[in-house]
Amino acid sequence: MVIQIDGIHMDEDMTLVAAIGVDVNGDKHPLGVVEGATENAATVQALIGNLVERGLDPAVPHLFIIDGSKALSKAIRATFGRDAAIQRCQIHKARNILDRLPKSMHAQVRRTLRQAWEMDDAGKAETLLRNLARRLEKDWEGVSASILEGLDEMLTVTKPDCRRNCGVRSPARTSSRTSWARCGASAGT
């Protein structure tokens, strides 16, 4: 099962952290929600602890899709082990990159990101993203660093062991149909 976890900021003092399960057919199922002041480690651990108490087995491999929050990664790894499969949400990552570039560059950069994320070969995908970062480094150093930050978690779904252990199919054949590598954020949020 794929588990998407994301925080929704309701106001300055309240964040809801929600978990949604995505089954093999791409159907989404609400798993849980907790509230906290922020998307911090305690809030996230409360959600994950609740999921485990209600039957989510930490011994079974799952693919977790998150926005890159360090608190989320920490809580997932504390419960499911340091080798837990974590994929950065492609929508969040693309938005974070594109928001820092002029609109004239969006189509080209978006195309390169999509091409990398649809590859079946993690090594080739990493090379493509490193080349993109290198091309942007001179004029857009911060964007280049953003591309490289969390690179391993950006490419989790391209790795054969993730597809084998988590029941995830090839990204190129499933990403447009089920959007399992996206955490549920729409392009407008």
Side-chain angles (χ1 to χ4, degrees):
M1 175 188 295
V2 175
I3 300 170
Q4 302 171 338
I5 302 176
D6 196 14
I8 304 159
H9 300 277
M10 303 305 288
D11 63 36
E12 68 181 53
D13 294 325
M14 186 186 349
T15 298
L16 299 177
V17 181
I20 297 172
V22 182
D23 64 27
V24 296
N25 297 318
D27 295 325
K28 294 181 179 181
H29 308 276
L31 300 177
V33 64
V34 296
E35 64 180 61
T38 64
E39 193 175 337
N40 61 30
T43 303
V44 172
Q45 192 61 58
L47 172 65
I48 290 176
N50 178 267
L51 296 176
V52 170
E53 286 173 12
R54 292 187 297 114
L56 186 64
D57 187 352
V60 174
H62 302 284
L63 172 62
F64 293 90
I65 300 182
I66 64 171
D67 65 3
S69 160
K70 299 209 184 325
L72 284 172
S73 289
K74 182 178 178 180
I76 290 167
R77 294 194 192 289
T79 303
F80 294 90
R82 67 177 179 81
D83 294 325
I86 298 174
Q87 168 70 39
R88 292 280 183 100
C89 169
Q90 295 172 353
I91 290 174
H92 277 96
K93 191 64 174 181
R95 185 183 312 134
N96 291 343
I97 292 166
L98 295 174
D99 282 352
R100 298 171 70 183
L101 291 170
K103 288 195 184 296
S104 62
M105 298 177 72
H106 286 197
Q108 177 187 8
V109 171
R110 186 180 294 114
R111 194 171 27 257
T112 302
L113 292 171
R114 185 173 294 126
Q115 182 182 1
W117 289 329
E118 290 180 352
M119 288 184 164
D120 286 329
D121 184 314
K124 289 179 181 177
E126 181 176 343
T127 298
L128 189 64
L129 292 173
R130 286 189 181 281
N131 287 341
L132 174 62
R134 204 173 358 267
R135 286 194 313 268
L136 295 172
E137 189 171 27
K138 181 179 180 235
D139 296 323
W140 303 98
E141 185 178 341
V143 175
S144 176
S146 180
I147 292 168
L148 297 175
E149 188 271 325
L151 187 61
D152 191 50
E153 287 183 356
M154 278 176 41
L155 300 173
T156 300
V157 297
T158 65
K159 299 171 185 171
D161 60 326
C162 177
R163 293 192 301 270
R164 181 178 52 253
N165 296 335
C166 300
V168 173
R169 295 167 289 198
S170 165
R173 289 184 280 285
T174 62
S175 62
S176 62
R177 188 173 72 79
T178 63
S179 300
W180 45 261
R182 298 180 174 115
C183 70
S186 66
T189 60

